[in-house]
Amino acid sequence: TAALAARKTTYGQDEKLTSYEDITSYNNYYEFGTGKADPAREAVLFKPAPWTIKVEGAIKQPKTLDIEQLIKLAPLEERIYRMRCVEGWSMVIPWIGLPLKALIDWAQPTGDAKYIEFVSHNDPRHMPGARLPVLDWPYVEGLRMDEAMQPLAILAVGLYGKVLPNQNGAPVRLVVPWKYGFKGAKAISTIRFVEKMPTTTWVKAGPREYGFYANVNPQVDHPRWTQSSEKRIGAGLFAGRIKTRMFNGYDEVGQLYAGMDLKKNF
Amino acid sequence: MLRSISPLFSSPLARIRALKALIWLGACLPLLRLLVLAVTDDLGANPVEFIERFTGTWALVFLLLSLSITPLRLWAGLSWLIAVRRLLGLWMFAYACVHVLSYLWLDYSFDWPDIGHDIVKHPYVLVGASAFLLTLPLAATSSQRAIRALKQRWKRLHQLVYVIAVLALLHYWWLVKKDVTEPVIYSLLFAGLMLARWWLTFERRR
């Protein structure tokens, strides 16, 4: 994969990075299969270029842009973020990307835009997992407008100083570090500004298990997995678990949810 | 070739010995593979999950193998097969022990409050823990002496294996996030074995 230059930032400076090998071989990307090793194997032939993203909905006028245009909207930055999966494991990933806000400013949404919806690429011919009715394709994720404007939310186009590997969501994916990993829609093909809260893929698949907000919250247990602690990938066989922090440790997002019952709005 | 080794299997005792040796080999190889992968650091990004899945799956395989003995005996008339059922059951227990130990130790570092919480709050863990607890009396009464001492009650007690199988399968179904292909396969195998057993006993009675 090609190198990708980016400005360093102070995010996650003290964190020990998960290895490139682990980040690119242990993936949840059901379009390429439900096994963790499937995406690395099945996404080899996937073509992330050329790529056009449709931007539509509640905006002055629908637009499209390609990756070259996208990465010119703002300087690329390296952001070292913790990624907490709803399954109880976590990684530390040096993403390269740009603030989602840069795209929103460029798109000029109207006053009707209350939410933003991300639709992933859906191509059963080249995505073997998308041929199976495991999830309701295409994969849809969403954020409330103020969440999307939060400076931590980025569109990632690379990691570890390189162009984003296919299995990690090439050419462009969402990264929202205070939410569970599944919020990070991969291979985004459409970005839609909408008035109503989108019905996201995992909410559709299991409304009792997955919520729209999906904020990392050690107090709200998943029916299957403990959310009060997590296993750090790459820490070794005997490392044990570490305590999961509210909002995955990104306390600055707390004000987005002032007055909200986060147990109900999980 | 076959003729030259056939004397080896001429007597029932020799056949049983040979099959037992084969089972020991087949049961040790996965453990050996796990050990090699652990030593060479090839268990993948999430080694604990790998070990849990691996040992859980093998416990289920040996459970189904032990349940296949009776249908096989009835169908093929190989009554001597009964002699290896205990060995298969004990290997199921061995893999279940490693499975539970990897959960308690590698996953939860023997953090009992956390483990208690996990068991109580998550149905699949509760069901799995129940299945394991039920294997304990079976393993404890697997000796010839216990069989003789318990007489008819031994058979009743060891019918718990069906409960264990159902719980183990439920444990598998509930832990899977979305793709239930593998639990479906194992459940169908179990259902097939139960059906075969029921049909063959029914046939024999007629």
Side-chain angles (χ1 to χ4, degrees):
Chain A
T1 38
L4 188 64
R7 197 173 71 191
K8 297 273 175 204
T9 58
T10 54
Y11 293 98
Q13 269 180 327
D14 313 324
E15 299 279 358
K16 189 179 174 294
L17 298 184
T18 304
S19 73
Y20 184 79
E21 166 72 20
D22 284 348
I23 293 172
T24 57
S25 67
Y26 191 75
N27 306 101
N28 274 327
Y29 195 168
Y30 281 17
E31 283 88 336
F32 291 109
T34 53
K36 294 281 190 294
D38 294 346
R41 190 180 57 243
E42 300 293 338
V44 175
L45 296 175
F46 180 70
K47 294 247 179 306
W51 196 268
T52 319
I53 305 165
K54 278 196 270 182
V55 184
E56 56 185 44
I59 57 175
K60 292 234 170 65
Q61 68 177 82
K63 303 177 177 191
T64 60
L65 81 171
D66 59 25
I67 298 301
E68 289 67 35
Q69 289 169 291
L70 175 76
I71 62 176
K72 283 194 191 107
L73 294 180
L76 288 182
E77 297 175 19
E78 182 177 76
R79 302 272 188 113
I80 298 172
Y81 283 163
R82 294 177 290 276
M83 147 112 94
R84 170 63 157 80
C85 178
V86 72
E87 296 164 355
W89 52 265
S90 61
M91 294 184 178
V92 177
I93 305 173
W95 299 108
I96 292 173
L98 62 151
L100 177 56
K101 186 178 182 301
L103 178 114
I104 296 172
D105 290 343
W106 171 82
Q108 295 183 285
T110 65
D112 288 341
K114 301 283 189 287
Y115 295 89
I116 178 166
E117 187 177 289
F118 302 87
V119 185
S120 292
H121 188 63
N122 179 34
D123 176 9
R125 267 186 65 205
H126 299 103
M127 298 174 133
R131 290 174 212 149
L132 308 170
V134 179
L135 290 172
D136 192 9
W137 311 112
Y139 195 90
V140 171
E141 258 309 334
L143 294 172
R144 214 170 58 191
M145 215 52 195
D146 57 342
E147 296 179 310
M149 305 282 274
Q150 220 290 336
L152 284 166
I154 59 166
L155 288 171
V157 293
L159 60 83
Y160 257 109
K162 294 177 191 173
V163 167
L164 198 63
N166 288 347
Q167 62 267 37
N168 294 86
V172 56
R173 64 167 292 165
L174 182 65
V175 178
V176 197
W178 70 93
K179 293 173 180 286
Y180 292 117
F182 68 84
K183 290 300 283 184
K186 301 183 179 82
I188 295 169
S189 61
T190 303
I191 294 175
R192 194 176 292 135
F193 293 88
V194 292
E195 199 175 350
K196 292 209 176 77
M197 182 186 278
T199 308
T200 56
T201 298
W202 279 106
V203 169
K204 221 184 269 184
R208 280 176 48 247
E209 300 189 14
Y210 310 97
F212 174 81
Y213 287 97
N215 291 318
V216 175
N217 187 343
Q219 266 107 53
V220 177
D221 229 2
H222 185 275
R224 218 166 307 135
W225 301 291
T226 298
Q227 298 303 25
S228 59
S229 62
E230 65 203 47
K231 277 212 111 62
R232 184 56 60 81
I233 297 299
L237 259 185
F238 303 98
R241 303 175 79 90
I242 50 180
K243 292 282 168 221
T244 294
R245 289 188 278 162
M246 187 67 204
F247 299 124
N248 202 19
Y250 297 96
D251 301 329
E252 60 265 51
V253 303
Q255 58 195 37
L256 292 171
Y257 310 102
M260 256 176 86
D261 182 350
L262 292 178
K263 286 203 166 124
K264 248 187 228 153
N265 300 286
F266 56 92
Chain B
M1 175 66 187
L2 250 180
R3 190 165 297 172
S4 64
I5 57 165
S6 62
L8 262 175
F9 305 109
S10 55
S11 73
L13 203 66
R15 250 178 297 178
I16 290 167
R17 268 201 204 125
L19 190 56
K20 277 187 174 173
L22 204 67
I23 291 168
W24 269 93
L25 192 71
C28 287
L29 280 178
L31 274 182
L32 196 69
R33 178 163 167 248
L34 199 60
L35 203 69
V36 170
L37 289 176
V39 169
T40 56
D41 199 16
D42 278 327
L43 292 173
N46 196 343
V48 177
E49 181 190 65
F50 184 96
I51 295 171
E52 284 170 339
R53 294 273 162 99
F54 186 93
T55 51
T57 306
W58 277 101
L60 191 53
V61 167
F62 278 101
L63 178 60
L64 292 180
L65 281 175
S66 70
L67 287 175
S68 67
I69 293 297
T70 296
L72 258 176
R73 277 169 58 215
L74 295 171
W75 174 65
L78 302 170
S79 55
W80 57 273
L81 273 179
I82 191 74
V84 300
R85 194 172 63 176
R86 169 169 51 192
L87 187 59
L88 292 168
L90 284 172
W91 271 109
M92 182 272 279
F93 181 65
Y95 273 99
C97 284
V98 183
H99 180 65
V100 170
L101 189 68
S102 60
Y103 165 80
L104 296 177
W105 182 15
L106 301 177
D107 206 347
Y108 277 93
S109 315
F110 298 115
D111 183 335
W112 298 109
D114 268 14
I115 291 165
H117 174 91
D118 193 32
I119 292 176
V120 175
K121 287 283 174 129
H122 305 115
Y124 95 85
V125 189
L126 183 65
V127 164
S130 314
F132 180 69
L133 287 181
L134 290 180
T135 63
L136 296 175
L138 302 202
T141 57
S142 63
S143 68
Q144 282 298 339
R145 210 165 54 173
I147 295 171
R148 251 178 270 124
L150 289 168
K151 297 195 183 86
Q152 272 307 304
R153 279 175 302 165
W154 187 89
K155 208 174 166 184
R156 289 282 298 279
L157 178 67
H158 279 250
Q159 277 168 348
L160 270 179
V161 72
Y162 303 114
V163 182
I164 293 168
V166 171
L167 291 176
L169 288 168
L170 203 57
H171 174 64
Y172 202 174
W173 275 90
W174 281 350
L175 86 87
V176 169
K177 196 170 169 186
K178 203 68 194 132
D179 182 1
V180 290
T181 313
E182 282 169 49
V184 165
I185 292 170
Y186 285 101
S187 302
L188 284 176
L189 283 172
F190 174 67
L193 287 174
M194 289 302 98
L195 216 63
R197 183 195 176 86
W198 172 80
W199 176 250
L200 290 163
T201 21
F202 174 76
E203 280 275 277
R204 214 157 64 151
R205 282 208 194 116
R206 241 182 8 176

